[in-house]
Amino acid sequence: ILGAIKKRSFSHSLSCSRHGSTLVVAEHESGVVKPHSLSAVTAATSLGGGNDKSSVSVLLAGSGPSLHQAASHAASSHPSVSQVLVADSERFKSPLAEPWAKLVHLVQQQGSYSHIIAASNSFGKNIMPRAAALLDVSPITDVTGISDPHTFVRPIYAGNALCTVRYMGSNPCILTIRSTSFPVPQKSNDSKAEASISKVNLSNFDEDLNKSRYISQTSQDDERPDLGNARVVITGGRALKNSENFKLIENLAKKLGGAVGATRAAVDAGFVPNDLQVGQTGKIVAPELYMAFGVSGAIQHLAGMRDSKVIVAVNNDADAPIFQVADYGLVGDLFEVIPELLEKLPEK
Ligand code: FAD
């Protein structure tokens, strides 16, 4: 249907023709598409059987040079990406849900996609249900598996059961996906595979959006990897007792080049900020190595880390539930084990 897609210049406007059946709503930072959104591209690709060159469009919004760099990154992110749509406007600089949801609505009107996908992080969880409401469809959230274009797997009961759901509604089928279940695609080296980049026509964009106001954003400014994407996560629980002792966890994470995680009990007790919380009401992680110190293994915590490749648990209670999911368990006192690890592990 779509025919050959020519590489177009950035200044061209998006026409009403439909280039792809799936739209990925993507986040970008410092000129690159965020890994969560690249996982959404992988999910979108699996909807089209994996080889459909023209199946995926990526929507990016914001302003400034980093938007243009991110568009180039998206264009070469995967051979199945045929088009990158760029909404270049100051109003999308901050991740406010109202303008973004309206943007998704507008782009859907222009492109008639069969599916719209975003990662199930704070960005996607904020925008996609609003966009679904504007489009009068029901979103399917937290998808971990795609059986066919209308059949999806998602966890229920804090991850204790997996539910297969079939979408019977009208287009578009709106999904948020757990990025830990869909690998980040390898960057394409084939320049011919690069997608076209087009501007979204914002002339019909409704400006009546004064429901929320962006004030500021703070992010952790350290050298540690992002918790959601780290290959190694070192988590501490209530047993750490205070924020001073929590430095043991931070030092071990630093030594292993990993991110720091925490249980809700540790967050509620004020040992660490709540953006470090792992679990049902925190971040979902699936690193290569997850080390849990003084963590009991409540189901709400397991919901956020049980897909980790290797789980190591240290707890002084041999009956702690965390040992049921651990690949390696050590019954011991974390205040003895961590200093010993710090002493014996080589510098990363
Ligand atoms: P505890 O359960 O108190 O466990 C501490 C563990 O440390 C114990 O197993 C103990 O044996 C061990 N210990 C004590 N001293 C030492 C020592 N010196 N050395 C080694 N081990 C030691 N929790 C989350 O983590 N994430 C969530 O997202 C989350 N969401 C929730 C949502 C809801 C709706 C609800 C109701 C709860 C949620 N919780 C969540 C809370 C969860 O139920 C648990 O209360 C919490 O995970 C317990 O944290 P913890 O393991 O640090 O503490």
Side-chain angles (χ1 to χ4, degrees), residues 25 95-98 100-101 104 122-132:
V25 182
L96 280 179
E98 285 87 357
W100 270 87
V104 174
S122 55
F123 173 81
K125 283 180 185 172
N126 202 10
I127 292 163
M128 299 303 263
R130 287 166 197 264

Side-chain angles (χ1 to χ4, degrees), residues 237-239 262-266 277-282 294-298 300-301 314-317 320 332-335:
R238 197 198 313 262
T263 64
R264 179 156 147 185
Q277 184 178 317
V278 173
Q280 184 188 340
T281 44
V295 172
S296 59
Q300 295 90 352
H301 186 76
V314 177
N315 195 304
N316 61 8
D317 175 5
D333 184 343
L334 70 89
F335 293 105

